[in-house]
Amino acid sequence: MARNHDEYIRNLFGNEDTALQSVNESIRRNGMPAISIKPEVGRFLALLVSIAKPRNVMEIGALGGYSGIMLAGALEKEGSLTSLELEETYANVAKDNLTRAGLGDKVKYVIGPALQNMESLHSAGQQYDFFFIDADKVNYPNYFSMALKLATPGAVIVADNTLQGDKVFDEDIHSENVEAIRTFNKQIATDDRVESILLPLCDGLTICRVKP
Ligand SMILES: C[S@@+](CC[C@H](N)C(=O)[O-])C[C@H]1O[C@@H](n2cnc3c(N)ncnc32)[C@H](O)[C@@H]1O
């Protein structure tokens, strides 16, 4: 019995297969933070990838590979995932989990601060047609600006946790994370290079498409 719309959605769409369950088990076993995306967010990401059919997906924040499995698992045969992660030990756990899920050949991990690595990938002429932003919140505005530089026309940019537990609209809260997410949401909502929306799924997903 659901008590609110979050529980209702989770009951209907939140089932996890054994590969996803084992990601969160490996996160516990390795003493990593339990901050993977929620199952229904994963399902939504997979749905977006199935619709958009991107060739080159960039994920910012790999942790143990939960969102990586949802993104890579929905790719077409020639699609690939580049996953940016600060912590090498986390990226190794994620790589193991994607390999166990049969997706090891679809993913490449780039270790270190994501912003610097995005700059390097941009300098190397790389382009991406789908982005999932789910790393340090203070850098979300910077990740958006860099994603625009790396984006192909028509690229999709998705970011998680953009309601910050509903703190984004509490005017008494001015923490660094909340202020950064407010800036990010406003950037996306007002930048006329993109079409965009914020969906109140779980902790909020802001989505935009770069106008061709
Ligand atoms: C919320 S977790 C990502 C969860 C993952 N997307 C999932 O659902 O499976 C955030 C991740 O971002 C990484 N991170 C934090 N700051 C970063 C930075 N500056 N550059 C790259 N990764 C960063 C953290 O180490 C952590 O693994």
Side-chain angles (χ1 to χ4, degrees):
M1 177 67 181
R3 287 165 302 172
N4 53 48
H5 74 266
D6 284 329
E7 284 186 10
Y8 181 73
I9 294 169
R10 173 110 12 112
N11 291 345
L12 280 173
F13 299 100
N15 55 314
E16 289 174 317
D17 62 15
T18 50
L20 293 174
Q21 286 166 5
S22 68
V23 171
N24 284 335
E25 279 158 26
S26 70
I27 284 173
R28 275 191 290 278
R29 232 185 6 259
N30 286 286
M32 294 159 63
I35 49 173
S36 299
I37 51 162
K38 296 289 178 276
E40 57 274 32
V41 171
R43 193 183 266 232
F44 184 61
L45 287 178
L47 185 61
L48 282 178
V49 169
S50 303
I51 295 167
K53 302 188 192 328
R55 284 287 179 109
N56 298 303
V57 176
M58 172 176 281
E59 170 185 65
I60 306 169
L63 191 67
Y66 195 113
S67 54
I69 287 180
M70 298 311 289
L71 293 164
L75 286 169
E76 306 233 295
K77 199 162 163 267
E78 60 283 356
S80 71
L81 171 67
T82 300
S83 183
L84 276 47
E85 172 55 53
L86 185 64
E87 305 288 345
E88 188 166 11
T89 52
Y90 294 3
N92 290 338
V93 171
K95 175 79 182 176
D96 282 351
N97 283 324
L98 266 83
T99 302
R100 256 195 300 277
L103 298 165
D105 59 337
K106 290 260 170 208
V107 65
K108 181 176 80 185
Y109 289 92
V110 181
I111 315 297
L115 208 53
Q116 272 166 251
N117 284 324
M118 288 171 90
E119 277 289 356
S120 307
L121 290 164
H122 176 56
S123 303
Q126 299 294 316
Q127 286 201 299
Y128 300 85
D129 44 6
F130 194 104
F131 297 80
F132 178 51
I133 303 174
D134 189 24
D136 50 327
K137 307 307 156 197
V138 286
N139 268 316
Y140 270 38
N142 299 324
Y143 293 145
F144 176 59
S145 303
M146 272 308 303
L148 283 179
K149 289 194 199 171
L150 286 159
T152 56
V156 176
I157 304 172
V158 185
D160 196 20
N161 308 115
T162 55
L163 287 174
Q164 288 289 289
D166 291 346
K167 293 191 187 97
V168 278
F169 52 85
D170 182 337
E171 290 177 8
D172 294 328
I173 297 181
H174 297 284
S175 70
E176 216 184 350
N177 279 358
V178 170
E179 289 292 1
I181 296 295
R182 282 189 188 121
T183 303
F184 170 80
N185 284 332
K186 191 150 188 196
Q187 261 178 322
I188 287 218
T190 57
D191 190 320
D192 57 15
R193 291 170 293 178
V194 300
E195 356 179 40
S196 60
I197 191 64
L198 195 170
L199 294 180
L201 180 64
C202 293
D203 193 25
L205 277 182
T206 301
I207 304 170
C208 73
R209 175 175 175 266
V210 179
K211 289 181 191 168

